[in-house]
Amino acid sequence: MARAEAKTNAERDHRKGNRMRIAAGLIFAGAISLCASGAAWSQTAATKSAATPQATPAPAAAPAPAKAPCANPNALGIARIVEIDTTGGPGFGFEHFKQLDFLRDHEVVLTFDDGPWPVNTPSVLKTLAEECTTGIFFPIGKHATYFPEILKQVAAAGHTIGSHTWSHANLNNKKLTEDQRKEEIEKGFSAVKWALGGTSFAPFFRFPALQHPPEMVTYLGTRDVAIFSCDLDSFDFKASKPQTVIDSVMKKVDKLGKGIILMHDFQKHTAEALPELLHKLKAGGYKVVQMRAKNPVQTIAQYDDEIVKDAKLPTVSSRPVSSVVQTISE
C-alpha cells in the first residue's frame, strides 16, 4: 500500500516537474525574443541617428572620493569650493576673459596642462596631497590614452579634470578646417572619458597656447563648455630650473594679488618646484580655491567610437588563468 502511494506521488511530482520545465522554457523563449527585438530596434535607431553627431549623455556624476583628514597641520589646504554652471560657455582668466571676477584677494586656482605624464604627474599629485590642496588638470587627449592609469589617479585624488584638445594642435592654425578644429576639441573630451573608464568629468576646456579662435569660442558655448585662460602664466616650459618657476609665479601673483595660475604637470621643473612654491604661497597668505562643475561634460558618440578604434584595445579574456596559462616544463 505504501509503495503504491509513493509511486502515485512520484508520478504526480514528475508531471508537475514537466509542467514547470515547459513554463520555464516558454518564459526563456519569450525573453530571447524580447532581447532580439530590442537589439533590432537599437540597431535601427543607431542607423537613423548615425548621420548626425549626437552628444552622449554623461553618466551620473561619480561620488566624490572620501576626503581623508589632513595630516599636515601647516598645509596650504583648500579655502573655498565653488561650483561652476557652464551653460553658454563662460570664460575664466583675465588674460582673455574679464567678465567673471570671482576670486577674492589672495585667492588662487592651481591649474596644470599637458598631462598625464609618467613621473611628473604623480610627483605633482604627491605634493598636492601633502599640502591637502587641489588643482584643475587639463590633459591632452593622446596623453590620456597613453597613460590612463595616471589620469585615474588624478580623479581618485579628487582633483577637477577638463580637457586640452586631442593632440595639442594650435586651433588658430589657418590650415585647419572648422571640422578639424571641432574634432580636436571633441576627441580630446572623448579620450579623457575613455581614460577615466567612462567616469564623468568637468566641461572645462583650455585652448593650446591660449589661442582662442572666435568661432571655436562660440562653438564651445553651444556645447556648454567653460573656457579657461589664466590670470598669470608660469612659463614653466621655458624654465631651465625649478627656482625659475617659483620666482616667476610668485613675482606675478604678488603683483596681481590673486589669480588662476597656469602650470604644466608635463614639465619636470614644475613637479620639482611645486613643494617650495606651495610653501611660499602659504607664507604669502594665499589660499586655494577649488573649482567644480555643476554638470558633467557630454561627449559625442562619433568621437567616442573613434577613440576606441584608435586605442586598438586588446581582447579581454574572462577565462581563468589555469585555462590560459599552463606550465609544461620547469
Side-chain angles (χ1 to χ4, degrees), residues 87-110:
T87 303
F92 298 93
F94 265 47
E95 186 143 335
H96 294 89
F97 307 105
K98 305 186 186 302
Q99 293 86 357
L100 299 171
D101 184 9
F102 73 97
L103 289 178
R104 301 167 186 166
D105 183 49
H106 274 64
E107 284 188 339
V108 296
V109 176
L110 307 175

Side-chain angles (χ1 to χ4, degrees), residues 4-26:
E5 184 178 350
K7 181 179 180 181
T8 301
N9 290 339
E11 290 174 346
R12 184 172 59 250
D13 291 344
H14 180 70
R15 289 195 298 272
K16 182 179 179 182
N18 283 340
R19 288 196 298 272
M20 292 177 67
R21 283 191 290 273
I22 291 169
L26 290 173

Side-chain angles (χ1 to χ4, degrees), residues 125-260:
L125 291 176
K126 180 176 181 292
T127 300
L128 294 174
E130 289 171 348
E131 289 295 329
C132 305
T133 195
T134 190
I136 306 176
F137 288 76
F138 293 97
I140 294 172
K142 281 187 176 182
H143 290 180
T145 63
Y146 297 161
F147 308 107
E149 293 308 315
I150 297 178
L151 194 61
K152 287 185 176 75
Q153 292 171 22
V154 177
H159 301 291
T160 300
I161 298 175
S163 179
H164 196 40
T165 71
W166 164 244
S167 70
H168 205 266
N170 185 334
L171 299 190
N172 253 341
N173 186 340
K174 301 303 181 185
K175 293 181 180 179
L176 295 177
T177 66
E178 184 169 342
D179 285 344
Q180 287 173 326
R181 292 170 183 166
K182 289 179 181 178
E183 181 178 42
E184 274 287 323
I185 292 170
E186 299 298 349
K187 279 188 72 174
F189 279 122
S190 292
V192 172
K193 176 183 176 181
W194 176 86
L196 292 174
T199 303
S200 61
F201 60 102
F204 290 177
F205 179 83
R206 179 173 272 156
F207 284 95
L210 300 181
Q211 297 294 306
H212 296 74
E215 63 275 18
M216 289 300 99
V217 171
T218 300
Y219 174 71
L220 287 166
T222 68
R223 295 280 282 111
D224 293 334
V225 172
I227 305 170
F228 280 73
S229 178
C230 67
D231 293 310
L232 61 103
D233 191 339
S234 67
F235 288 106
D236 52 356
F237 59 93
K238 295 182 178 181
S240 59
K241 54 186 179 180
Q243 191 61 46
T244 306
V245 180
I246 297 168
D247 293 343
S248 172
V249 171
M250 292 309 303
K251 180 179 179 180
K252 292 175 180 178
V253 76
D254 284 341
K255 180 179 179 180
L256 295 174
K258 61 180 182 179
I260 296 172

